[in-house]
Amino acid sequence: MGTGFSGEVAEYYAKYRRGYPSELFDALQAEFAWTKEDAVLDLGCGTGQLAVPTAARVRAVVGIDPEPDMLRFAGEAAARAGAGNTVWVLGSDADVPEIGAQIGAGALASVLVGQALHWMQHELLFPRLLPLLRPGGGVAVVADSSPLWLQNSDWSNALRDCLEAHFGTRPGPIGGSSPQDRSRYARALAAAGYVDVHEITVRRTDELTVDQLIGGVFSTFSAQSLPPEPERGELAQRIRWSLPSGKPLIEDAEITAVLAHAPAVLPHPR
Ligand SMILES: C[S@@+](CC[C@H](N)C(=O)[O-])C[C@H]1O[C@@H](n2cnc3c(N)ncnc32)[C@H](O)[C@@H]1O
């Protein structure tokens, strides 16, 4: 069975998904005291939105994802950015015990999971990651918490109405990004023995073109739910017509991260 991120979905993702702001990477670096000696793992790395900018701040980044098409785009993004210190591994959260055995205890400064934890078994994953983290290291669960149709603007309201009219249901938050999801993840991290579990928020403000907006919407579909042509073209046209004319499409998005540190003394395995 496919992961839902193959083919055209990976292309939309690579081309149109907005990257994370540099303030996020500044905050992660400060939080986990990243240095050029450190290695970081990006689980569910997709097209490298977290892994590639992180690579400029540490010694090496390992990006893991079960979708070969996503990894191909991640490799291309790394090459464009000159990030030769990245390694791309085909795998999933289920492979963490095996990958961890190869990496070794205490080898990682951080494990990043961007907009992907809802595909994983986080109750199993968090305890498995703990022994892999070096002192002062930790986990960051990053989410794009304001998708294009849930922002506070006329164009975002129009987009939401347009998507509701097309699909017959009001679009909500992207999986794993709601406040309830974040609380659930924070509780699971604390239960697994992590300390100093807290949340940070950074903003991404940018002007979008109409094509970026439409491509951004399509990048949120799975391979199974991406409308086929000609429906996709019709939806794109409907979105164009629904937007307030002559006004810039200013995006004001909230990026959240649940952060958690490995304790100085690891809890005994249960
Ligand atoms: C929405 S994308 C996020 C990509 C990137 N981390 C980001 O922040 O933009 C979700 C990614 O999770 C990957 N994924 C799905 N199931 C997974 C699993 N069980 N373990 C690891 N990654 C998974 C998908 O292939 C996809 O690339």
Side-chain angles (χ1 to χ4, degrees):
M1 201 182 78
T3 62
F5 287 91
S6 57
E8 284 181 294
V9 169
E11 283 175 38
Y12 278 117
Y13 211 97
K15 190 164 176 196
Y16 293 111
R17 189 56 78 101
R18 315 294 293 160
Y20 296 107
S22 59
E23 288 79 4
L24 174 70
F25 299 96
D26 293 344
L28 295 176
Q29 180 155 24
E31 184 79 30
F32 300 119
W34 288 348
T35 72
K36 288 285 187 181
E37 301 298 309
D38 279 326
V40 169
L41 191 138
D42 179 2
L43 191 54
C45 63
T47 55
Q49 267 87 350
L50 285 173
V52 173
T54 298
R57 297 166 183 258
V58 298
R59 178 170 55 85
V61 176
V62 180
I64 300 177
D65 200 282
E67 177 47 62
D69 288 342
M70 294 297 252
L71 289 178
R72 180 165 51 84
F73 284 114
E76 289 174 12
R80 277 196 305 278
N85 56 342
T86 46
V87 180
W88 307 105
V89 178
L90 190 66
S92 75
D93 62 318
D95 298 309
V96 162
E98 201 184 327
I99 291 165
Q102 289 173 31
I103 290 178
L108 297 173
S110 299
V111 177
L112 312 179
V113 185
Q115 207 57 68
L117 194 61
H118 54 300
W119 303 105
M120 304 179 195
Q121 290 189 278
H122 66 269
E123 292 93 346
L124 290 179
L125 178 67
F126 291 152
R128 286 174 176 170
L129 293 177
L130 208 44
L132 304 180
L133 293 163
R134 66 144 165 74
V139 169
V141 180
V142 179
D144 208 330
S145 298
S146 26
L148 292 162
W149 53 85
L150 282 186
Q151 296 183 20
N152 188 17
S153 64
D154 290 349
W155 63 260
S156 184
N157 294 341
L159 174 64
R160 189 162 62 245
D161 291 345
C162 177
L163 293 173
E164 182 177 10
H166 189 85
F167 292 109
T169 48
R170 199 142 183 86
I174 291 180
S177 70
S178 69
Q180 293 78 7
D181 289 326
R182 295 201 295 277
S183 301
R184 209 158 40 90
Y185 297 152
R187 280 197 305 275
L189 282 160
Y194 291 80
V195 295
D196 191 14
V197 181
H198 63 285
E199 194 176 313
I200 59 164
T201 302
V202 296
R203 303 201 83 81
R204 180 182 56 222
T205 310
D206 210 353
E207 182 170 346
L208 304 178
T209 65
V210 175
D211 284 346
Q212 282 173 326
L213 186 136
I214 293 170
V217 170
F218 288 155
S219 81
T220 63
F221 286 98
S222 68
Q224 294 78 17
S225 62
L226 188 67
E229 293 295 359
E231 187 192 337
R232 198 183 317 167
E234 286 160 12
L235 175 58
Q237 196 56 265
R238 275 190 182 208
I239 294 173
R240 278 178 203 283
W241 285 333
S242 73
L243 298 173
S245 61
K247 290 202 185 155
L249 304 171
I250 306 295
E251 153 162 89
D252 183 17
E254 201 170 75
I255 314 295
T256 54
V258 178
L259 306 180
H261 286 256
V265 179
L266 288 184
H268 291 294
R270 270 170 273 178

